[in-house]
Amino acid sequence: MHATSTSPSPIPSQNSSPFPTGGSCPVKAPNKPMTTESHKPSTLSKLNPLNYMPSNLSQTRAANQTVHLPVEREISSIPRGDAESNWEYPSPQQMYNAMLRKGYDDTPQDAVESMVAVHNFLNEGAWAEIVEWERRFSRGLGYGWQACRLGEEGSVTGAGMIANEDDVAQPRLLRFEGRPSDITPKARILQMLGQVYPSKFG
């Protein structure tokens, strides 16, 4: 018989273990990064997801500012979807600081109050349109069609009666969200008509 070597195999060192030490699991969780380095928070993570604005809008006077701007904020007529209160519009000082932050440093300081007034007026008008749409179509397309058949004047005449009924829920705005790259159905139709009849819709 041949003699065999019975020398024991070397014991691997602790550093050569393929598994992590310290009792941690060797499998990476799907929602956790493998590294433990601290990452800098992204710009989007610093914004309020309800209006995509910084949660702490600065009311401090800018360094190059020569005109006094009010810091009072106007309460809108738009009810919030996440609280029993209404949305607040930015103050002129906040609007000016936001424009400087976005790089618009050539904004006339004496025009900022007018810009805020126009901004608030347009938002109120847009919300009035949304409320009117919900009033007409909240009960379904058939009821909305009957209201629209009366024309603008006929529909406005019945607005008081319908708005006071308990089963017409008033809309609330959950969040502001800009969607500049989304094409509306009306724009799609006009785009197709422009391809078919370019002389009229082009």
Side-chain angles (χ1 to χ4, degrees):
M1 294 267 166
H2 298 288
T4 58
S5 172
T6 58
S7 61
S9 59
I11 298 173
S13 65
Q14 290 182 352
N15 294 339
S16 63
S17 173
F19 302 108
T21 58
S24 62
C25 179
V27 179
K28 174 186 167 297
N31 59 351
K32 291 184 179 179
M34 190 62 132
T35 60
T36 58
E37 299 173 0
S38 60
H39 295 286
K40 184 179 178 184
S42 66
T43 303
L44 276 178
S45 67
K46 298 176 185 176
L47 301 180
N48 182 348
L50 297 177
N51 56 8
Y52 293 99
M53 294 292 291
S55 55
N56 53 349
L57 288 172
S58 174
Q59 293 270 30
T60 57
R61 190 181 177 106
N64 61 343
Q65 188 174 333
T66 58
V67 176
H68 171 73
L69 294 173
V71 295
E72 294 79 22
R73 301 180 68 176
E74 182 182 340
I75 306 293
S76 75
S77 66
I78 306 172
R80 294 177 65 113
D82 65 330
E84 292 298 324
S85 59
N86 289 3
W87 287 94
E88 289 184 336
Y89 292 126
S91 69
Q93 184 65 61
Q94 288 175 323
M95 176 77 83
Y96 183 66
N97 291 343
M99 297 189 76
L100 290 179
R101 190 175 61 251
K102 293 178 181 178
Y104 300 110
D105 48 4
D106 57 346
T107 304
Q109 297 173 12
D110 55 350
V112 174
E113 285 191 67
S114 300
M115 291 165 54
V116 171
V118 171
H119 168 271
N120 299 355
F121 173 78
L122 292 176
N123 275 332
E124 291 293 322
W127 183 249
E129 292 286 331
I130 292 169
V131 170
E132 173 65 15
W133 177 271
E134 291 293 326
R135 183 188 67 78
R136 290 186 186 185
F137 292 98
S138 62
R139 295 182 178 179
L141 288 176
Y143 187 86
W145 172 253
Q146 292 298 326
C148 291
R149 283 182 58 208
L150 301 174
E152 196 66 32
E153 292 180 10
S155 181
V156 170
T157 303
M161 177 188 71
I162 298 171
N164 292 330
E165 295 182 8
D166 293 336
D167 58 343
V168 179
Q170 294 300 313
R172 305 178 75 83
L173 183 63
L174 184 61
R175 67 176 178 269
F176 289 89
E177 183 177 2
R179 295 164 58 185
S181 59
D182 291 358
I183 300 177
T184 63
K186 180 180 178 182
R188 288 187 191 279
I189 292 170
L190 290 175
Q191 194 175 40
M192 289 190 311
L193 288 173
Q195 293 174 353
V196 178
Y197 303 107
S199 59
K200 188 170 184 179
F201 295 98

